[in-house]
Amino acid sequence: MNIILLGPPGAGKGTQASRLQDERGMVQLSTGDMLRAAVKDGTPVGLKAKAIMEAGELVSDEIVSGIIGEALDKLSPETGVIFDGYPRTAAQAESLDAILAARGRKLDHVIELAVDEEALVERITGRFTCGNCGEGYHDTFKQPKQAGVCDACGSTEFKRRPDDNEETVRTRMTEYRAKTAPILPIYKSRHLLKKVDGMAAIDVVTSQIETILG
Ligand code: AP5
Ligand code: MG
Protein backbone atom coordinates (compact mmCIF):
# COMPACT_ATOMS: atom_id res chain seq x y z
CA MET A 1 0.00 0.00 0.00
CA ASN A 2 1.24 3.51 -0.82
CA ILE A 3 -0.36 6.46 0.94
CA ILE A 4 0.16 10.20 1.22
CA LEU A 5 -0.41 12.14 4.44
CA LEU A 6 -1.26 15.71 3.51
CA GLY A 7 -1.75 18.69 5.79
CA PRO A 8 -0.22 21.98 6.87
CA PRO A 9 2.80 22.27 9.19
CA GLY A 10 1.98 20.71 12.56
CA ALA A 11 -1.07 18.82 11.26
CA GLY A 12 0.40 15.59 12.66
CA LYS A 13 1.82 14.00 9.49
CA GLY A 14 5.03 12.87 11.18
CA THR A 15 3.26 11.69 14.32
CA GLN A 16 0.79 9.53 12.39
CA ALA A 17 3.34 8.30 9.84
CA SER A 18 5.64 7.01 12.54
CA ARG A 19 2.74 5.16 14.20
CA LEU A 20 1.77 3.52 10.90
CA GLN A 21 5.39 2.58 10.37
CA ASP A 22 5.54 0.89 13.80
CA GLU A 23 2.14 -0.79 13.58
CA ARG A 24 1.97 -1.85 9.92
CA GLY A 25 5.56 -2.35 8.86
CA MET A 26 5.21 0.40 6.28
CA VAL A 27 8.08 2.84 5.69
CA GLN A 28 7.74 6.57 6.37
CA LEU A 29 9.35 8.74 3.71
CA SER A 30 9.49 12.27 5.09
CA THR A 31 11.13 14.75 2.74
CA GLY A 32 11.50 17.13 5.71
CA ASP A 33 13.43 14.49 7.71
CA MET A 34 15.57 13.57 4.68
CA LEU A 35 16.39 17.22 4.00
CA ARG A 36 17.26 17.83 7.67
CA ALA A 37 19.60 14.82 7.55
CA ALA A 38 21.23 16.26 4.40
CA VAL A 39 21.67 19.65 6.11
CA LYS A 40 23.22 17.95 9.15
CA ASP A 41 25.62 15.94 6.97
CA GLY A 42 26.53 18.99 4.86
CA THR A 43 25.76 17.20 1.56
CA PRO A 44 25.31 19.26 -1.66
CA VAL A 45 21.52 18.92 -1.27
CA GLY A 46 21.79 20.01 2.37
CA LEU A 47 23.85 23.07 1.45
CA LYS A 48 21.17 24.15 -1.05
CA ALA A 49 18.27 23.42 1.32
CA LYS A 50 19.49 24.91 4.61
CA ALA A 51 18.61 28.60 4.17
CA ILE A 52 15.36 27.80 2.32
CA MET A 53 14.16 25.58 5.15
CA GLU A 54 15.15 28.09 7.81
CA ALA A 55 13.05 30.68 5.99
CA GLY A 56 10.07 28.29 5.82
CA GLU A 57 10.02 28.28 2.02
CA LEU A 58 9.88 25.25 -0.29
CA VAL A 59 12.98 23.48 -1.56
CA SER A 60 13.00 22.94 -5.35
CA ASP A 61 10.73 20.29 -6.87
CA GLU A 62 13.73 18.65 -8.60
CA ILE A 63 15.61 18.15 -5.35
CA VAL A 64 12.73 16.65 -3.38
CA SER A 65 11.47 14.44 -6.20
CA GLY A 66 15.06 13.25 -6.67
CA ILE A 67 15.43 12.22 -3.03
CA ILE A 68 12.04 10.47 -3.05
CA GLY A 69 13.03 8.39 -6.11
CA GLU A 70 16.34 7.44 -4.49
CA ALA A 71 14.64 6.49 -1.23
CA LEU A 72 12.10 4.27 -3.03
CA ASP A 73 14.89 2.51 -4.89
CA LYS A 74 16.28 1.34 -1.55
CA LEU A 75 13.01 -0.44 -0.64
CA SER A 76 11.73 -3.79 -1.79
CA PRO A 77 8.74 -3.44 -4.14
CA GLU A 78 6.38 -5.06 -1.59
CA THR A 79 7.17 -2.56 1.17
CA GLY A 80 4.30 -0.12 1.74
CA VAL A 81 5.19 3.57 1.86
CA ILE A 82 3.78 6.56 3.73
CA PHE A 83 4.69 9.82 2.00
CA ASP A 84 4.97 12.49 4.72
CA GLY A 85 5.36 16.05 3.45
CA TYR A 86 5.56 15.05 -0.22
CA PRO A 87 4.13 15.98 -2.69
CA ARG A 88 3.75 19.66 -1.82
CA THR A 89 3.20 21.24 -5.26
CA ALA A 90 1.33 20.30 -8.44
CA ALA A 91 4.67 19.58 -10.13
CA GLN A 92 5.64 17.21 -7.31
CA ALA A 93 2.26 15.45 -7.54
CA GLU A 94 2.91 14.89 -11.23
CA SER A 95 6.46 13.65 -10.56
CA LEU A 96 5.19 11.25 -7.92
CA ASP A 97 2.83 9.64 -10.43
CA ALA A 98 5.75 9.06 -12.78
CA ILE A 99 8.07 7.89 -9.97
CA LEU A 100 5.49 5.34 -8.75
CA ALA A 101 4.58 4.13 -12.23
CA ALA A 102 8.25 3.58 -13.09
CA ARG A 103 8.53 1.31 -10.04
CA GLY A 104 5.27 -0.59 -10.57
CA ARG A 105 3.62 1.08 -7.57
CA LYS A 106 0.26 2.78 -7.31
CA LEU A 107 -1.25 5.29 -4.94
CA ASP A 108 -3.94 3.83 -2.68
CA HIS A 109 -5.03 6.73 -0.45
CA VAL A 110 -4.34 10.41 0.07
CA ILE A 111 -5.27 11.31 3.62
CA GLU A 112 -5.85 14.95 4.45
CA LEU A 113 -5.35 15.91 8.10
CA ALA A 114 -7.85 18.76 8.41
CA VAL A 115 -6.84 21.21 11.14
CA ASP A 116 -7.45 24.65 12.52
CA GLU A 117 -4.36 26.67 11.54
CA GLU A 118 -4.29 28.84 14.66
CA ALA A 119 -3.96 25.78 16.90
CA LEU A 120 -0.96 24.67 14.84
CA VAL A 121 1.28 27.46 15.98
CA GLU A 122 0.99 26.14 19.56
CA ARG A 123 1.58 22.58 18.37
CA ILE A 124 4.71 23.52 16.47
CA THR A 125 6.30 25.90 18.93
CA GLY A 126 5.82 23.27 21.71
CA ARG A 127 7.28 20.39 19.71
CA PHE A 128 10.56 18.64 20.55
CA THR A 129 12.13 15.30 19.65
CA CYS A 130 14.54 12.81 21.13
CA GLY A 131 18.05 13.71 19.96
CA ASN A 132 18.94 10.02 19.75
CA CYS A 133 15.98 8.13 18.21
CA GLY A 134 13.78 10.99 16.92
CA GLU A 135 10.66 10.10 18.97
CA GLY A 136 8.36 13.15 18.91
CA TYR A 137 7.06 15.00 21.98
CA HIS A 138 5.17 18.15 22.89
CA ASP A 139 5.43 20.52 25.88
CA THR A 140 1.66 20.24 26.50
CA PHE A 141 0.26 17.36 24.46
CA LYS A 142 2.85 14.61 24.77
CA GLN A 143 5.46 14.77 27.53
CA PRO A 144 7.81 11.81 28.11
CA LYS A 145 6.34 9.50 30.79
CA GLN A 146 9.40 10.16 32.97
CA ALA A 147 10.42 13.83 32.74
CA GLY A 148 13.59 14.33 30.70
CA VAL A 149 13.88 10.67 29.58
CA CYS A 150 12.82 9.42 26.13
CA ASP A 151 10.04 6.78 26.35
CA ALA A 152 11.38 4.96 23.31
CA CYS A 153 15.15 4.75 23.91
CA GLY A 154 15.93 6.19 27.38
CA SER A 155 18.08 9.04 26.03
CA THR A 156 18.11 12.31 27.98
CA GLU A 157 19.04 14.47 24.95
CA PHE A 158 16.22 16.37 23.24
CA LYS A 159 16.20 18.88 20.38
CA ARG A 160 13.99 21.49 18.69
CA ARG A 161 13.85 22.35 14.97
CA PRO A 162 15.35 25.70 13.89
CA ASP A 163 12.24 26.41 11.74
CA ASP A 164 9.82 25.90 14.66
CA ASN A 165 9.48 29.56 15.60
CA GLU A 166 6.28 31.53 15.10
CA GLU A 167 7.50 33.72 12.23
CA THR A 168 8.77 30.79 10.15
CA VAL A 169 5.66 28.75 10.93
CA ARG A 170 3.51 31.55 9.45
CA THR A 171 5.60 31.48 6.24
CA ARG A 172 5.28 27.67 6.10
CA MET A 173 1.51 27.99 6.39
CA THR A 174 1.37 30.60 3.63
CA GLU A 175 3.38 28.25 1.42
CA TYR A 176 0.96 25.43 2.25
CA ARG A 177 -2.11 27.50 1.34
CA ALA A 178 -0.56 28.82 -1.88
CA LYS A 179 1.20 25.73 -3.24
CA THR A 180 0.09 22.56 -1.45
CA ALA A 181 -3.64 22.98 -0.76
CA PRO A 182 -4.27 23.37 -4.54
CA ILE A 183 -3.22 19.74 -5.10
CA LEU A 184 -6.09 18.42 -2.96
CA PRO A 185 -8.67 18.75 -5.79
CA ILE A 186 -6.38 16.73 -8.09
CA TYR A 187 -6.61 13.75 -5.72
CA LYS A 188 -10.29 14.38 -5.02
CA SER A 189 -11.09 14.10 -8.72
CA ARG A 190 -9.23 10.77 -8.75
CA HIS A 191 -11.35 9.56 -5.78
CA LEU A 192 -8.21 9.05 -3.68
CA LEU A 193 -8.75 11.84 -1.13
CA LYS A 194 -10.01 10.98 2.37
CA LYS A 195 -10.31 13.60 5.08
CA VAL A 196 -9.71 12.98 8.80
CA ASP A 197 -10.21 15.35 11.73
CA GLY A 198 -6.65 16.31 12.61
CA MET A 199 -7.85 18.32 15.62
CA ALA A 200 -8.92 15.15 17.44
CA ALA A 201 -6.60 13.53 20.00
CA ILE A 202 -3.58 11.73 18.52
CA ASP A 203 -5.05 8.24 19.20
CA VAL A 204 -8.37 9.22 17.65
CA VAL A 205 -6.66 10.46 14.49
CA THR A 206 -4.77 7.15 14.29
CA SER A 207 -8.02 5.17 14.49
CA GLN A 208 -9.62 7.32 11.79
CA ILE A 209 -6.66 6.54 9.53
CA GLU A 210 -6.76 2.81 10.43
CA THR A 211 -10.43 2.74 9.42
CA ILE A 212 -9.56 4.17 6.00
CA LEU A 213 -6.66 1.76 5.45
CA GLY A 214 -8.77 -1.22 6.57
P1 AP5 B 1 8.48 19.21 7.11
O1 AP5 B 1 9.48 18.59 8.00
O2 AP5 B 1 7.65 18.33 6.27
O3 AP5 B 1 7.58 20.18 7.98
P2 AP5 B 1 6.04 20.62 7.86
O4 AP5 B 1 5.25 20.20 6.70
O5 AP5 B 1 6.09 22.06 8.13
O6 AP5 B 1 5.35 19.76 8.90
P3 AP5 B 1 5.80 19.46 10.34
O7 AP5 B 1 6.84 18.39 10.34
O8 AP5 B 1 6.13 20.75 11.04
O9 AP5 B 1 4.45 18.96 10.97
P4 AP5 B 1 3.80 17.52 11.01
O10 AP5 B 1 2.53 17.57 10.23
O11 AP5 B 1 4.77 16.43 10.73
O12 AP5 B 1 3.38 17.48 12.56
P5 AP5 B 1 3.92 16.60 13.77
O13 AP5 B 1 3.43 15.21 13.66
O14 AP5 B 1 5.37 16.82 14.00
O15 AP5 B 1 9.21 20.25 6.15
C1 AP5 B 1 10.14 21.18 6.67
C2 AP5 B 1 10.71 22.02 5.56
O16 AP5 B 1 11.41 21.18 4.62
C3 AP5 B 1 9.69 22.77 4.68
O17 AP5 B 1 9.32 24.02 5.27
C4 AP5 B 1 10.46 22.93 3.37
O18 AP5 B 1 11.41 23.96 3.47
C5 AP5 B 1 11.21 21.61 3.27
N1 AP5 B 1 10.45 20.57 2.56
C6 AP5 B 1 10.03 19.38 3.08
N2 AP5 B 1 9.36 18.66 2.16
C7 AP5 B 1 9.35 19.43 1.03
C8 AP5 B 1 8.77 19.24 -0.26
N3 AP5 B 1 8.08 18.13 -0.55
N4 AP5 B 1 8.93 20.24 -1.16
C9 AP5 B 1 9.65 21.35 -0.88
N5 AP5 B 1 10.20 21.60 0.33
C10 AP5 B 1 10.05 20.63 1.27
O19 AP5 B 1 3.09 17.28 14.96
C11 AP5 B 1 3.41 18.59 15.43
C12 AP5 B 1 3.32 18.63 16.97
O20 AP5 B 1 1.96 18.50 17.36
C13 AP5 B 1 4.08 17.50 17.67
O21 AP5 B 1 4.67 18.01 18.83
C14 AP5 B 1 3.00 16.46 17.99
O22 AP5 B 1 3.31 15.74 19.19
C15 AP5 B 1 1.77 17.33 18.17
N6 AP5 B 1 0.57 16.68 17.67
C16 AP5 B 1 0.45 15.93 16.54
N7 AP5 B 1 -0.82 15.50 16.38
C17 AP5 B 1 -1.54 16.03 17.42
C18 AP5 B 1 -2.91 15.96 17.82
N8 AP5 B 1 -3.81 15.25 17.09
N9 AP5 B 1 -3.28 16.63 18.93
C19 AP5 B 1 -2.37 17.35 19.66
N10 AP5 B 1 -1.06 17.42 19.34
C20 AP5 B 1 -0.64 16.79 18.24
MG1 MG C 1 6.79 16.39 10.12
Side-chain angles (χ1 to χ4, degrees), residues 9-10 12-15 28 30 32-33 36 84-85 127 161 172:
K13 302 180 296 291
T15 302
Q28 169 189 13
S30 159
D33 288 348
R36 278 184 288 281
D84 160 9
R127 168 172 58 187
R161 274 167 50 176
R172 284 156 60 195

Side-chain angles (χ1 to χ4, degrees), residues 10 25 31 72 82 90 92 114 116-117 120-121 123 128 178 192-193:
T31 38
L72 279 175
I82 309 143
Q92 290 178 26
D116 160 13
E117 279 198 16
L120 300 186
V121 176
R123 278 199 194 173
F128 60 99
L192 291 172
L193 188 66

